[in-house]
Amino acid sequence: MMMVDGLRAWLRNRVRPVARDTRPHGDAGSHSPRIFDVRSAGEWTEPVFAPRRLWSLREDVLLEFDDDMTGVTVATEWGDIALGHPGDTVREALRRMTLGPTVLTHLFAPDGDGSDWLRLSTVLAEIEHCVVHSLECRPGAGSCLSAVPISRFAGFVLPAIEAEDRMRLSRFAAIRLSNGELVLESPLSRHRVILHQPPAVSVVGAIGDGATLDQVVHDTRLPAELVRALAEHLAAVGMIVFGEPDDGQGRTWFAEDHDPELAAWSHTDLMFHARTRTGRRHGPIGATFPHHGALPPAPVVKPVPEGERFPLYTPDIAEVARTDGTLTEAMETRRSFHEFATRAPTAKQLGELLFRSARVRSIQPHALETVQDMASDRPYPSMGGRHELELYLTVERCEGLPSGTYHYDPWEHALTRINGDVAEATELLDAARVTVGTAGRPPVLITMTGRIARLSWTYSGIAYSTSLKHVGVLQQTLYLVATAMGLAPCALAVGDLEATTRVLRLDWPSEVSVGEFVVGVRAEQRN
């Protein structure tokens, strides 16, 4: 009993309650075990069972031992951690943790003095960003819930939840399916929570937008200790937040709703930010070639669609370089135009704009890949020469070019008319008119689409975010060239996914709209 009593005393000093009215991150704390009292099972149909904590190491963590098998180094994606000579018990605990979730308390003698556990807890605190915390809800059924660290700054501490505490899911939390299991994620958390079994899913659903422990027990018909244990694990990683009574009208005040730093973010934007940067995400990221050998690379230039072809004017670049203003002049005079002259731009001007901004200058095998995968060189930069963007022109009026919708072939420098339906073209142009804020329809709408497979074949986790960056550099290039040519350019903030997909005859989601740009003649120019 000495071991257990000492352990309980140590726990009381190590486990602290969740701080109220603060943003949850679940980042501080230790790896102390939790002793659960068995209470009434209520409507629980399984035998009464005290939930048990389990520990394991992330699947990508490796243990390296010295020649004499006494020294241990933990190899992680964030670097190696030399633990020195932690002792036989700690080495055995770490070895078991590499095999999967394990009950560490089984390693310690009931009459021990607790020193081995304290040594292990010190080691676990040093590598806590590699430790997966799981909960067993049924005897021998394995993990019901697992909290997996995804940041080198991840920490874990179980809070003390009182029966009257009002809790809810964070408004940034979301559930999705991953590898056949439900995963609960939040950009505010440095963990992802895997909901292995129905009790975990039931508790998450019952907490929803606000509940107490008693309400969750009533709604799920699960044992109170099981509900408490699951809620504690969710709170430890910031998936649920706690509130205080508001103004006496029965409402609950949650700090998350009143944090000015969080108010600026939607769930979608903050999750997109967190998962397309290193440091707070799970899985590979960057140039990992995830589909190499499984899928063929997408062609560097999209096959020319069927339709009437319109070769475009090709300017003499040497003459352009001689007569153009300076880059500084173009950058200093660049601005967005929201009104356009009644006079239409010419097909020659469009040809020059596209040639100087987006043509393919050359195609060559990619240095890091097979000869079947080609890279291109164009006036605007693209990561790895992928150049996944396609350009479509919806023409309201253009001298020398019929109205309609066209695809731009950057290799042959020509347009292909893919849709002659005036009503459908008008739909896109009217939407652009509203976004630009102009009285009439813009003369020419340039829609940028992304063939995401061009990027995802090479890059993991960042394909779409990279495509949006490419939209930015292409828009800047179009701005500078249009300014140098004396045209009236304007980038659009948003476009209609459904209308664009239909009018441009896109094979969504293989090719998706990602940006818009309009161009016309400056209103101050006279006929």
Side-chain angles (χ1 to χ4, degrees):
M1 291 299 298
M2 179 180 177
M3 165 65 178
V4 175
D5 291 339
L7 192 56
R8 284 175 173 160
W10 183 78
L11 282 169
R12 284 195 295 270
N13 293 328
R14 295 286 287 176
V15 178
R16 65 174 184 268
V18 170
R20 299 293 189 261
D21 305 336
T22 58
R23 188 177 341 143
H25 289 285
D27 299 327
S30 65
H31 300 278
S32 57
R34 177 81 171 183
I35 304 300
F36 296 103
D37 295 328
V38 180
R39 299 184 181 178
S40 170
E43 299 294 332
W44 183 242
T45 58
E46 299 287 334
V48 176
F49 176 68
R52 296 193 303 181
R53 289 192 63 186
L54 308 174
W55 288 262
S56 61
L57 295 176
R58 280 178 35 138
E59 293 181 353
D60 58 352
V61 172
L62 299 176
L63 296 183
E64 299 174 352
F65 296 95
D66 292 348
D67 292 339
D68 60 2
M69 298 300 291
T70 60
V72 182
T73 298
V74 180
T76 80
E77 70 167 282
W78 300 293
D80 294 348
I81 305 170
L83 300 179
H85 303 272
D88 294 342
T89 303
V90 173
R91 284 199 310 276
E92 176 60 17
L94 294 175
R95 186 192 69 80
R96 294 189 183 187
M97 290 169 65
T98 63
L99 303 177
T102 184
V103 181
L104 294 182
T105 51
H106 287 174
L107 292 170
F108 306 99
D111 57 351
D113 60 4
S115 59
D116 281 341
W117 173 259
L118 291 177
R119 279 193 292 271
L120 177 58
S121 68
T122 300
V123 169
L124 293 180
E126 188 173 356
I127 64 170
E128 72 180 338
H129 56 290
C130 305
V131 177
V132 178
H133 295 268
S134 301
L135 189 70
E136 184 182 30
C137 299
R138 293 184 177 91
S143 300
C144 179
L145 171 151
S146 294
V148 182
I150 58 174
S151 166
R152 66 181 181 276
F153 300 109
F156 188 90
V157 60
L158 289 176
I161 303 178
E162 305 299 333
E164 66 276 10
D165 287 344
R166 192 77 179 178
M167 55 188 174
R168 75 163 198 204
L169 284 179
S170 167
R171 72 179 180 90
F172 291 95
I175 296 178
R176 67 180 179 90
L177 187 67
S178 176
N179 296 322
E181 292 186 301
L182 292 178
V183 175
L184 180 64
E185 296 179 303
S186 167
L188 297 181
S189 177
R190 293 188 171 103
H191 290 77
R192 63 199 294 261
V193 177
I194 304 175
L195 308 174
H196 299 288
Q197 297 174 8
V201 181
S202 297
V203 169
V204 170
I207 292 173
D209 65 351
T212 63
L213 284 176
D214 287 343
Q215 289 172 330
V216 176
V217 170
H218 176 271
D219 291 343
T220 62
R221 300 179 183 272
L222 294 171
E225 278 306 316
L226 176 54
V227 170
R228 183 186 298 273
L230 289 167
E232 287 176 341
H233 277 68
L234 294 170
V237 295
M239 295 299 176
I240 61 176
V241 295
F242 295 87
E244 300 289 349
D246 198 354
D247 54 5
Q249 299 182 9
R251 294 176 298 184
T252 303
W253 191 92
F254 291 95
E256 183 182 73
D257 296 334
H258 304 276
D259 187 332
E261 295 181 6
L262 293 180
W265 289 95
S266 69
H267 160 80
T268 302
D269 287 339
L270 194 54
M271 182 65 84
F272 182 75
H273 161 70
R275 295 304 186 259
T276 54
R277 309 283 296 179
T278 59
R280 195 177 290 193
R281 56 163 284 119
H282 177 80
I285 189 171
T288 64
F289 304 96
H291 302 300
H292 188 278
L295 296 174
V300 64
V301 177
K302 180 179 177 177
V304 176
E306 294 184 1
E308 185 180 2
R309 293 279 283 180
F310 293 83
L312 291 171
Y313 166 73
T314 300
D316 182 340
I317 291 298
E319 179 65 15
V320 168
R322 188 181 66 81
T323 59
D324 243 7
T326 66
L327 174 62
T328 300
E329 290 173 339
M331 294 183 67
E332 291 299 314
T333 58
R334 183 218 62 78
R335 68 182 182 91
S336 296
F337 289 81
H338 298 272
E339 294 295 338
F340 306 97
T342 56
R343 180 165 61 90
T346 66
K348 180 179 179 180
Q349 288 175 313
L350 286 184
E352 180 175 342
L353 175 66
L354 293 172
F355 186 86
R356 295 175 61 179
S357 301
R359 79 186 187 279
V360 173
R361 293 190 290 213
S362 64
I363 296 177
Q364 61 278 331
H366 197 289
L368 298 180
E369 300 157 20
T370 65
V371 294
Q372 287 78 23
D373 183 41
M374 310 297 282
S376 69
D377 175 52
R378 309 187 192 190
Y380 67 95
S382 178
M383 188 179 295
R386 308 310 299 168
H387 285 109
E388 81 292 348
L389 297 181
E390 298 288 329
L391 298 186
Y392 294 81
L393 277 64
T394 304
V395 176
E396 161 75 7
R397 57 188 187 277
C398 177
E399 184 181 323
L401 195 64
S403 299
T405 304
Y406 299 81
H407 171 261
Y408 174 58
D409 178 357
W411 180 241
E412 297 290 342
H413 189 53
L415 295 177
T416 302
R417 194 178 188 189
I418 60 172
N419 188 349
D421 190 315
V422 176
E424 289 193 342
T426 298
E427 182 179 3
L428 290 186
L429 292 164
D430 279 340
R433 175 184 61 80
V434 172
T435 303
V436 173
T438 182
R441 298 187 190 107
V444 178
L445 167 66
I446 301 175
T447 302
M448 305 169 196
T449 68
R451 294 183 293 129
I452 300 302
R454 277 288 295 169
L455 294 171
S456 63
W457 195 84
T458 300
Y459 301 106
S460 293
I462 59 171
Y464 187 63
S465 65
T466 299
S467 191
L468 297 183
K469 295 168 185 174
H470 292 165
V471 169
V473 297
L474 178 52
Q475 286 181 335
Q476 174 74 332
T477 303
L478 286 166
Y479 259 123
L480 294 177
V481 174
T483 299
M485 293 176 60
L487 295 172
C490 184
L492 275 60
V494 68
D496 187 316
L497 180 154
E498 295 286 5
T500 302
T501 299
R502 184 180 70 257
V503 176
L504 303 188
R505 308 294 192 255
L506 301 181
D507 183 16
W508 191 93
S510 296
E511 185 177 354
V512 299
S513 56
V514 289
E516 288 79 23
F517 194 90
V518 298
V519 64
V521 177
R522 297 183 183 184
E524 63 267 28
Q525 294 181 352
R526 304 300 180 188
N527 292 329

